[in-house]
Amino acid sequence: QVQLVESGGGLVQAGGSLRLSCVVSGRTFSSYAMAWFRQTPGKEREFVAAISWNGGTIIYGDSVKGRFAISRVNAKNTVYLQMNSLKPEDTAVYYCARKMAWGGGGYSDVNSFDFWGQGTQVTVSS
């Protein structure tokens, strides 16, 4: 069974930075696109960023463009989310997810992802 474990969340002041990590179990990590989503209570899960299997395609949600950067190291089965210039509205639980090999929608479609981590809390104080 595939497992995704996020880490790196915490409390930071507005304008600060955090780096999230997501380690994925299994030997096929390099075959799959990965993404980060976030969610606040009472709201739908929001797309943050996605990266293709080899890093050749990267897309971002409009609210994080220019501030966040997604990357991956296939040799470490790890995907990262570097978050800079954080704002209070970035406060959420952040989830990493593995995209389906076949089917589903686009990179930003939550229904395109079949495995999810447990989430890590990011809180940005004003």
Side-chain angles (χ1 to χ4, degrees), residues 35 37 44-45 47 97-116:
F37 290 78
E44 292 186 352
R45 202 159 287 190
F47 171 73
R98 194 189 80 171
K99 194 175 185 296
M100 296 176 187
W102 304 101
Y107 282 108
S108 61
D109 183 350
V110 67
N111 296 310
S112 298
F113 296 83
D114 53 0
F115 288 97
W116 295 81

Side-chain angles (χ1 to χ4, degrees), residues 13-120:
Q13 288 189 330
S17 298
L18 281 175
R19 188 196 197 200
L20 306 183
S21 300
C22 173
V23 179
V24 183
S25 65
R27 291 179 285 183
T28 59
F29 173 77
S30 61
S31 299
Y32 294 90
M34 298 293 299
W36 289 93
F37 290 78
R38 65 187 183 187
Q39 190 170 24
T40 54
K43 293 189 176 181
E44 292 186 352
R45 202 159 287 190
E46 177 191 7
F47 171 73
V48 175
I51 186 168
S52 62
W53 67 275
N54 63 351
T57 298
I58 291 176
I59 62 172
Y60 295 99
D62 288 342
S63 60
V64 306
K65 283 180 182 176
R67 299 188 299 122
F68 290 12
I70 189 171
S71 61
R72 65 190 296 161
V73 177
N74 286 341
K76 295 184 176 181
N77 279 24
T78 302
V79 60
Y80 302 96
L81 185 67
Q82 178 66 43
M83 305 185 295
N84 301 323
S85 302
L86 283 162
K87 305 175 182 180
E89 50 265 44
D90 294 318
T91 295
V93 177
Y94 283 71
Y95 299 90
C96 69
R98 194 189 80 171
K99 194 175 185 296
M100 296 176 187
W102 304 101
Y107 282 108
S108 61
D109 183 350
V110 67
N111 296 310
S112 298
F113 296 83
D114 53 0
F115 288 97
W116 295 81
Q118 82 289 348
T120 185

